[in-house]
Amino acid sequence: MSATERQTDSRSSGRSGWRVRWCGDAALVVECDADLDPRVNARAVEIARQVRLARVEGVRDVVPTHSAVTVYLDPVAGDAEVLSRRLLSWAESSAPAAEAQREITVGVRYGGPGGPDLEAVAAFAGCSIDEVVRRHAAGHYRVFMLGFLPGFAYMGVVDSRIAMPRRATPRLAVPARSVGIAGRQTGIYPSAAPGGWQLIGTADIAPFTLQAEPACIFRAGDLVRFEPRVVES
Amino acid sequence: MRVRVIAPGPLTTVQDLGRWGHQAWGIPVSGAMDTWSHRVANHLVGNLPEAATLEVTLAGPKLEFSEDATIAVVGARFWLEIDGRTVPSGCTFSLSAGGRLSFGPRTAGARAYLAVAGGFELPMVFGSRSTDLASRFGGLDGRSLRAEDCLDVGDPHGGARPGKKLRPPFPLPRGGAVLRVLVRDDGGGRPELLFGPRFRLGPTSNRMGYRLSGPSVSPGRPASGLSAATPVGTIQVPPSGEPILLMADRQTTGGYRAPATVISADVGVAAQLAPGDWVEFKPCSYSSAHVALASREDALRLQAGGMA
């Protein structure tokens, strides 16, 4: 996305598009009504960056999500009114995001034991398995946010044809590195966990390694592409 | 100095004030469930508030101290046996080298915090010594204590307060508690359904969250499927209609409706509830939430004489 496009988008989200509210008495949320909107999310990531840079007293944590930023505030030490005003001004700023978008390519072994739902996604899409793989690997995905598990990146936007909703009954154990689809989002399980995403393959990277620096491969705002890897027999 | 675990108790973990600043990477906060009791215990033995303590759950461990030690046990009330003497918890004690501490019957609350002058020395993981049981890191290899574990203790700063008694600034719940909540003003779910009925903590309630059984709480219109941040005290309502009160080991984000959040002043009260206990929710205003918190902080500071 170019800087010019970014400027346009923040104007279109409008001065009244963002608002601040409490979430409990120890967190403020600046948010705007949006679904999976890369431009709105770019603004959220930029607000989060500004909050961290500003080193506001009493701020304990800053969590950007799809179309919101939650700022954890020590309710005793922090000044919520001042923070609230600053959050709105960062949200309404038309300045482009200062941070360049990183590009990360992830190899995926589609199907096989790591992709037990690939056939189901093909049935959902009414196309062949190869076509599901082609469409998933053709996407340029934005990391909208991390959450759920350490290092778990919510990426989008998945081609609507293969955007199969979550399973009705989640699996009790999804293996680490599984690549899944949940509606218009895709992601890689960093560790074995219960989960309801439709599993289509196995990634060749570990999104979270405790001993590594940094421990998490992805951060909000990254651009991710998937490359099919040939299954070794 | 080292502390040897003779018997671990059902769930004893190393905790501090939590792993802040990493939630943007999906890394949970964890930390003491009842941070008030954790802080009071540290204060009594002359530690900084962020020193690591042991969080003892429902029943306690049996420990042996390699050198003379000053300890404090604060939070849930237990009968303690120290070198053969039976004493009530809630203040500081001195043990001599080779001394043993064992936890006896619990008479109130659910979680007690054992601080040792010097604090438990364990590697920092993302800036904290807290045990994150779900992520399996922090504390002692990300797990609860086992028999024959040995924990290193740092050098005491001095300033321990022998014999001094100091209580967290709220009464320990006996069988249940009324928790004040702030209603979310973003139309998430139907908060009014939370007020009135009495819920019970389900048997699978743990450090991540309490499953509350009682009348079904309709989540209202379905959630968007997108995730939002989940502060401690968030009451989530999944489609099943069984609310979940999110506690210290909660995930950083969640996709369920979250109609209300327990106020900071009452999270420590919630931490002292055990499975089977009842809970009721009562709406509260933002200004009362802040007043409640400030008055608890003041009460603690007054008792402690300048406690951090």
Side-chain angles (χ1 to χ4, degrees):
Chain A
M1 194 190 294
S2 75
T4 340
E5 277 170 327
R6 282 213 177 91
Q7 279 179 337
T8 322
D9 78 58
S10 42
R11 250 181 257 128
S12 67
S13 70
R15 285 206 154 266
S16 58
W18 290 84
R19 59 190 179 273
V20 179
R21 65 169 173 87
W22 282 100
C23 178
D25 59 7
L28 284 174
V29 181
V30 57
E31 65 186 351
C32 125
D33 293 319
D35 201 12
L36 275 180
D37 184 334
R39 296 172 173 199
V40 169
N41 183 249
R43 177 50 50 192
V45 170
E46 176 62 14
I47 296 168
R49 198 183 69 86
Q50 296 281 2
V51 180
R52 287 192 200 104
L53 272 180
R55 300 188 175 279
V56 183
E57 185 171 359
V59 168
R60 290 168 161 166
D61 217 336
V62 186
V63 189
T65 48
H66 290 99
S67 54
V69 180
T70 301
V71 181
Y72 288 82
L73 189 67
D74 177 346
V76 178
D79 185 334
E81 264 182 55
V82 170
L83 178 62
S84 173
R85 277 199 300 274
R86 296 182 76 178
L87 286 175
L88 264 189
S89 79
W90 286 318
E92 288 170 353
S93 159
S94 58
E99 217 159 29
Q101 197 174 31
R102 302 186 309 171
E103 285 194 31
I104 298 168
T105 302
V106 177
V108 179
R109 181 179 152 169
Y110 286 97
D117 299 324
L118 188 56
E119 267 180 52
V121 176
F124 168 85
C127 67
S128 68
I129 282 174
D130 285 350
E131 181 63 9
V132 172
V133 170
R134 196 192 65 74
R135 283 181 187 250
H136 187 260
H140 293 216
Y141 301 101
R142 176 182 178 83
V143 173
F144 280 83
M145 58 172 279
L146 282 86
F148 169 44
L149 296 168
F152 187 97
Y154 290 82
M155 306 173 197
V157 182
V158 169
D159 185 320
S160 59
R161 183 143 176 211
I162 60 168
M164 188 172 178
R166 287 172 174 80
R167 292 164 57 89
T169 312
R171 286 188 171 87
L172 291 175
V174 172
R177 300 192 187 200
S178 295
V179 177
I181 288 177
R184 304 207 68 182
Q185 301 192 83
T186 185
I188 309 166
Y189 282 77
S191 48
W197 291 38
Q198 307 287 350
L199 307 181
I200 58 169
T202 307
D204 68 355
I205 52 123
F208 179 80
T209 310
L210 185 59
Q211 295 80 12
E213 183 56 50
C216 300
I217 298 255
F218 302 111
R219 67 174 184 225
D222 287 346
L223 182 74
V224 179
R225 306 182 60 176
F226 295 106
E227 254 178 29
R229 294 276 190 267
V230 179
V231 180
E232 293 157 34
S233 51
Chain B
M1 198 209 355
R2 309 194 87 187
V3 175
R4 185 169 73 90
V5 179
I6 299 165
L11 181 69
T12 305
T13 57
V14 175
Q15 298 296 343
D16 59 18
L17 291 173
R19 191 163 278 119
W20 290 96
H22 305 275
Q23 290 184 86
W25 288 269
I27 293 163
V29 177
S30 299
M33 292 272 277
D34 173 359
T35 52
W36 302 86
S37 298
H38 163 92
R39 286 163 59 201
V40 169
N42 271 331
H43 176 77
L44 288 174
V45 298
N47 289 348
L48 293 170
E50 58 267 30
T53 62
L54 289 183
E55 182 180 274
V56 164
T57 318
L58 300 176
K62 185 172 187 179
L63 307 167
E64 186 181 78
F65 295 75
S66 68
E67 292 170 33
D68 293 357
T70 305
I71 66 160
V73 179
V74 178
R77 268 199 283 288
F78 283 91
W79 286 101
L80 304 174
E81 197 174 291
I82 296 176
D83 291 338
R85 288 173 293 144
T86 301
V87 291
S89 62
C91 61
T92 49
F93 307 98
S94 296
L95 282 96
S96 39
R100 287 185 172 196
L101 162 73
S102 54
F103 281 69
R106 174 175 54 99
T107 56
R111 293 177 173 83
Y113 294 83
L114 164 69
V116 183
F120 291 101
E121 278 294 331
L122 285 149
M124 292 272 200
V125 178
F126 303 113
S128 164
R129 297 185 172 96
S130 288
T131 310
D132 181 337
L133 293 168
S135 310
R136 294 191 290 273
F137 56 60
L140 197 64
D141 304 328
R143 60 170 174 81
S144 59
L145 298 193
R146 292 180 193 149
E148 294 309 319
D149 281 339
C150 275
L151 295 162
D152 287 327
V153 175
D155 293 327
H157 302 286
R161 294 152 180 88
K164 187 163 179 186
K165 215 166 173 141
L166 193 66
R167 292 211 181 284
F170 50 78
L172 283 169
R174 286 179 187 275
V178 177
L179 303 176
R180 289 167 288 182
V181 304
L182 292 162
V183 169
R184 289 269 287 264
D185 49 8
D186 59 345
R190 296 177 57 197
E192 70 278 6
L193 296 175
L194 293 169
F195 309 132
R198 187 168 268 203
F199 298 94
R200 286 210 179 260
L201 269 68
T204 56
S205 297
N206 58 23
R207 282 182 44 88
M208 280 182 88
Y210 296 166
R211 283 175 187 279
L212 304 176
S213 59
S216 179
V217 176
S218 158
R221 66 192 158 88
S224 66
L226 297 184
S227 293
T230 44
V232 67
T234 297
I235 303 170
Q236 281 189 336
V237 182
S240 70
E242 188 180 60
I244 301 169
L245 172 57
L246 296 182
M247 298 298 289
D249 273 358
R250 69 201 177 276
Q251 295 173 350
T252 56
T253 59
Y256 294 134
R257 286 272 170 223
T261 310
V262 172
I263 67 172
S264 297
D266 287 357
V267 168
V269 179
Q272 292 298 348
L273 296 172
D277 284 352
W278 57 265
V279 63
E280 285 175 16
F281 298 110
K282 192 173 92 174
C284 166
S285 70
Y286 285 89
S287 53
S288 340
H290 286 126
V291 168
L293 185 63
S295 67
R296 283 188 176 172
E297 288 285 342
D298 287 347
L300 207 53
R301 215 170 289 131
L302 270 177
Q303 275 193 80
M307 178 177 155

